[in-house]
Amino acid sequence: SKAEKLKRIAFRMLRSSVDFVQNHSFSKLSLKANRISSHRISKMSAYSENGFKIGVVGATGAVGEEIVSVLCRKNFPVKSLQLFSSARSAGKVKSTPLGEITIGEFSIEESRKCDFVFLAVDGSFALEFANQIASDGGPIVIDNSSAWRMDPNVPLVVPEINIESAKGKKLIANPNCTTSIALMALYPLHKEFGIKRCIISTYQAASGAGALGMKELLDETKKYVTTGELPSNKIFAHPLPLNVIPHIDKFQENMYTKEEMKVAWESRKIMGLPELLISCTSVRIPTLRAHSESITIETEKPVSAQRAQEILKLAAGVKVVDDPLNNVYPMPLTATGSFDVEVGRIRANDVFGEYGLDFFVCGDQLLRGAALNAVLIAEALIKS
């Protein structure tokens, strides 16, 4: 069946994620890119003579690899592709959908020769170099780190929502993965019903802590299964196998974590709703890839599950997966590798009555929260 075929594909991609963790040698530059890649794709037929000069900084890391993959999957018009990394990786030959490419050591001068530069590096690198690359007629820089997200002069963009804010800008920020996954469902519902309040609980995969987080989950699970020894922890606050941890990022003065506050801060900025009331609880769970979120909204206008489902079926980047009586609903297994965010368990909320809605979303955080969103920004700017 189609469902079984999708599950087999997802398992192959998860197996590839495991191989990626076990076999990759990460550079200092790319390791801090905070997501994990998964799968290989078939080669592009050729470069496009009428395309754009693309640079990827952090090309040996998970996010950098996925950006190249998405460029191919989206048939992005690439005239040339330059891969940049640290001095340790420079000179190595890397297989890509566009053929074998020699990795170059990052330099401002070389990166400024591009039309688009994707930064798949940590925040400190982005803070130091992003403006130097983009300024004075430089390329459009799309940064995947958190460095510039809340800068009032830098647009924070989910293309389906606020691409207008990016037009004419040289430096553009990509949002946090949990934010962008939630907003794919929240924004179309807001346009139809208006959102007054939002309560979110996130269930985030080990890959959100990078390759080392995935490795710890795999190694400690294997240790427990094969020896019976209880799991230990270095990356996470507590052992993750057989456990869930309601703690992602540092606790703030208000006792929310920074990860939880990012969802509130970034959602308000992207949707242009500075007074929107949002409360989030973020939980790390022992899955490898794809984040899930349970969301409750209170609306300004009456809302029904049926109408909400109709709205979400028309929303770009959303796939309604909602047949619970037949065990069909969003799951990390089915969302892995998909460009669309799955939305299901859509139902009236008993607390807010006709002004309330509950639903569940699941999305591949590497794609929607990093590589895919970045490429979609560039794609939208070209079209505009």
Side-chain angles (χ1 to χ4, degrees):
S1 68
K2 183 177 181 181
E4 289 301 318
K5 182 179 179 182
L6 290 173
K7 287 181 181 179
R8 287 195 296 271
I9 292 171
F11 274 122
R12 285 199 298 270
M13 294 177 68
L14 290 170
R15 177 67 258 175
S16 186
S17 291
V18 174
D19 294 340
F20 186 93
V21 171
Q22 293 176 338
N23 299 329
H24 249 65
S25 175
F26 291 93
S27 69
K28 183 177 180 181
L29 175 69
S30 64
L31 179 58
K32 293 181 181 178
N34 195 32
R35 301 292 180 265
I36 186 68
S37 186
S38 67
H39 58 284
R40 299 283 183 181
I41 56 176
S42 59
K43 289 187 177 182
M44 279 180 166
S45 58
Y47 287 101
S48 171
E49 285 299 321
N50 298 318
F52 297 85
K53 300 175 183 177
I54 305 298
V56 179
V57 183
T60 58
V63 175
E65 287 200 344
E66 195 72 17
I67 287 171
V68 176
S69 170
V70 173
L71 287 168
C72 179
R73 291 178 66 183
K74 294 289 294 178
N75 292 315
F76 192 92
V78 177
K79 183 175 184 179
S80 64
L81 177 62
Q82 288 186 270
L83 305 181
F84 299 102
S85 193
S86 64
R88 186 169 63 180
S89 297
K92 294 181 179 178
V93 177
K94 188 173 183 59
S95 296
T96 78
L98 285 164
E100 303 288 312
I101 297 178
T102 301
I103 298 171
E105 183 176 0
F106 169 79
S107 73
I108 296 171
E109 180 182 3
E110 287 301 312
S111 63
R112 283 176 58 83
K113 296 177 182 178
C114 299
D115 299 309
F116 288 93
V117 172
F118 296 95
L119 297 184
V121 290
D122 63 19
S124 60
F125 184 99
L127 281 173
E128 181 176 358
F129 293 109
N131 268 327
Q132 295 185 58
I133 299 170
S135 63
D136 300 323
I140 293 174
V141 175
I142 302 173
D143 176 34
N144 283 278
S145 79
S146 63
W148 297 97
R149 288 174 186 162
M150 298 313 297
D151 188 304
N153 297 313
V154 176
L156 178 63
V157 176
V158 173
E160 293 88 345
I161 299 174
N162 65 333
I163 191 61
E164 293 295 324
S165 67
K167 292 180 179 178
K169 299 290 187 177
K170 286 292 189 176
L171 174 57
I172 301 165
N174 235 8
N176 177 273
C177 54
T178 46
T179 302
S180 53
I181 290 170
L183 289 185
M184 295 307 296
L186 284 174
Y187 185 68
L189 293 173
H190 171 71
K191 287 197 298 180
E192 181 72 11
F193 307 108
I195 295 177
K196 291 174 62 177
R197 295 179 177 87
C198 184
I199 301 171
I200 303 175
S201 295
T202 72
Y203 309 97
Q204 300 181 216
S207 54
L212 292 180
M214 287 186 72
K215 187 175 189 302
E216 180 166 295
L217 173 61
L218 292 168
D219 289 349
E220 294 303 312
T221 300
K222 180 180 179 180
K223 180 178 74 174
Y224 176 74
V225 170
T226 57
T227 71
E229 183 180 348
L230 290 176
S232 59
N233 59 293
K234 292 181 180 179
I235 302 301
F236 301 108
H238 299 276
L240 188 56
L242 313 176
N243 195 21
V244 298
I245 305 171
H247 176 189
I248 300 176
D249 213 330
K250 296 179 180 179
F251 281 96
Q252 309 295 289
E253 289 185 5
N254 62 2
M255 297 313 297
Y256 284 86
T257 66
K258 190 173 182 181
E259 177 78 4
E260 293 159 353
M261 292 310 303
K262 285 177 185 177
V263 174
W265 295 332
E266 295 178 17
S267 296
R268 291 167 185 153
K269 180 175 180 177
I270 293 167
M271 292 203 293
L273 300 172
E275 305 302 320
L276 180 62
L277 298 173
I278 301 178
S279 178
C280 179
T281 300
S282 294
V283 182
R284 186 74 70 193
I285 64 173
T287 56
L288 283 176
R289 178 169 172 151
H291 292 347
S292 304
E293 306 181 36
S294 174
I295 302 177
T296 295
I297 57 173
E298 182 187 11
T299 58
E300 296 172 351
K301 302 175 184 178
V303 58
S304 70
Q306 180 180 349
R307 181 58 182 154
Q309 191 175 92
E310 292 170 356
I311 293 297
L312 291 169
K313 284 181 177 179
L314 296 174
V318 171
K319 180 181 180 182
V320 174
V321 181
D322 196 22
D323 186 10
L325 295 181
N326 288 306
N327 300 331
V328 176
Y329 26 68
M331 297 186 297
L333 182 62
T334 51
T336 293
S338 174
F339 281 173
D340 291 338
V341 171
E342 295 185 350
V343 185
R345 295 295 316 280
I346 303 166
R347 62 202 186 277
N349 176 268
D350 284 346
V351 175
F352 297 122
E354 65 177 351
Y355 292 91
L357 192 74
D358 292 325
F359 53 95
F360 194 79
V361 304
C362 191
D364 191 315
Q365 84 282 3
L366 178 62
L367 292 173
R368 188 72 252 184
L372 173 65
N373 202 74
V375 172
L376 288 176
I377 291 171
E379 188 178 70
L381 291 175
I382 291 170
K383 291 178 180 178
S384 65

